[in-house]
Amino acid sequence: MFPETVASNVFIPYLRKLLILELRRLGMSQTDIARLTGVTQAAVSKVLNKEYFHSEKVSGLDLAEQELKAVSKRIAKLLYNGNLNEAGYLANRYWWLVAASGDACKAHERYGWRKSERFICTKVVYPELDVSRGLVMADLERALLVLSSSEYFGFLIPEVMSNIAVAIPGAKSIYDVAAVPGRISRSKTNEVLYRRPEFGASRHLGGILLSINGKFRAVMNIRYDEVIRESLISMGISFKEFSSCLLYTSPSPRDRTR
């Protein structure tokens, strides 16, 4: 059993449906949508029937609908603008980050994988890292990909710029905490800019996570705004206020064991 089996049988069909809906919303003809997504015009027409589409779920994948929609919108926009290579790379990279994060394990088990094999995808994507660090890196890279796909995230970046840090279980030093080198910024067109995460990249956020002895495994700083503050409160999200930004803390990710 290969990891690509779940991708082709579970992930791709669902992502394709989201792309069809988004490309249609952008005004593309059914014929062009079929050409770009690799299906027949009849299949496109069937997907555009909302009742048919909403009767299906992403079986075995621990993915939030909003996350998938954000990424699919970004891929669809690239396809619509003719950036086929970039769209293909983004879709493939996103799938491998989902698999490396451990969020495709249930689907793999349904295809006969043993629990002892559940982190093979993590080692494929990050062969140079042990599993605990690979899981952290996959979670962080995936979060950055999803956030940069959102049309709203750029407005949450403060003047001092933003960053996200995630620690491995039992972190002892900043080199056990992954973050974005040089922080996350945005361009004049509101495009989110960042470098690939590294362990030991943020002494500031790494120090915060280490100071709270594992109570939280992830932290992020965002712009201070009353609307944002009230939204966080209404969602029950914990945060701390710093002069010009908010520090958002996330509970420890679910335990993952071999």
Side-chain angles (χ1 to χ4, degrees):
M1 173 57 59
F2 298 98
E4 291 87 347
T5 304
V6 171
S8 60
N9 292 347
V10 180
F11 174 73
I12 293 174
Y14 193 86
L15 177 64
R16 181 184 285 121
K17 291 179 175 68
L18 290 175
L19 291 175
I20 288 171
L21 292 173
E22 184 60 22
L23 288 169
R24 186 60 171 174
R25 190 188 70 81
L26 292 172
M28 187 170 284
S29 70
Q30 291 189 22
T31 301
D32 287 339
I33 293 173
R35 175 178 55 81
L36 286 174
T37 56
V39 295
T40 64
Q41 189 274 330
V44 170
S45 180
K46 195 173 184 180
V47 170
L48 293 175
N49 181 324
K50 292 185 178 181
E51 183 178 349
Y52 168 82
F53 175 72
H54 287 298
S55 68
E56 298 190 0
K57 295 181 179 179
V58 196
S59 177
L61 300 182
D62 294 323
L63 297 176
E65 184 179 4
Q66 288 301 108
E67 174 181 332
L68 272 171
K69 284 185 176 180
V71 176
S72 66
K73 282 186 176 182
R74 182 176 173 186
I75 297 171
K77 195 170 293 184
L78 290 170
L79 290 172
Y80 182 78
N81 292 326
N83 300 319
L84 305 188
N85 289 338
E86 191 175 346
Y89 172 81
L90 178 60
N92 278 281
R93 185 61 180 173
Y94 176 65
W95 158 248
W96 277 107
L97 289 175
V98 168
S101 298
D103 284 342
C105 290
K106 290 180 182 178
H108 282 116
E109 287 173 16
R110 292 180 183 179
Y111 280 85
W113 284 47
R114 297 187 296 268
K115 289 186 181 294
S116 60
E117 300 169 326
R118 58 187 291 135
F119 295 122
I120 289 177
C121 297
T122 310
K123 293 301 293 182
V124 168
V125 178
Y126 301 103
E128 75 283 5
L129 300 177
D130 60 40
V131 169
S132 63
R133 289 175 180 269
L135 288 169
V136 164
M137 191 62 73
D139 279 341
L140 185 48
E141 279 205 67
R142 179 173 152 199
L144 289 164
L145 188 154
V146 174
L147 288 173
S148 62
S149 298
S150 169
E151 56 187 312
Y152 304 109
F153 176 65
F155 297 107
L156 296 180
I157 299 175
E159 291 182 8
V160 295
M161 296 185 285
S162 186
N163 210 336
I164 307 174
V166 184
I168 65 171
K172 301 297 182 184
S173 77
I174 62 166
Y175 296 101
D176 295 327
V177 181
V180 175
R183 302 190 181 185
I184 306 166
S185 61
R186 62 176 179 173
S187 67
K188 292 182 179 179
T189 57
N190 209 39
E191 179 186 3
V192 177
L193 307 173
Y194 60 88
R195 292 162 58 191
R196 186 175 182 180
E198 297 176 4
F199 282 93
S202 176
R203 291 185 176 275
H204 175 53
L205 295 188
I208 290 173
L209 287 176
L210 292 172
S211 70
I212 52 182
N213 300 318
K215 183 179 179 181
F216 296 101
R217 288 265 313 284
V219 64
M220 175 182 178
N221 67 301
I222 60 175
R223 182 170 62 88
Y224 178 84
D225 183 282
E226 280 300 322
V227 174
I228 295 171
R229 184 176 184 277
E230 293 301 321
S231 297
L232 292 173
I233 292 173
S234 67
M235 291 186 289
I237 296 175
S238 60
F239 61 89
K240 296 292 183 182
E241 298 179 24
F242 285 73
S243 61
S244 61
C245 64
L246 295 176
L247 192 68
Y248 161 62
T249 52
S250 171
S252 300
R254 59 188 174 284
D255 291 334
R256 296 182 174 104
T257 56
R258 277 188 160 180

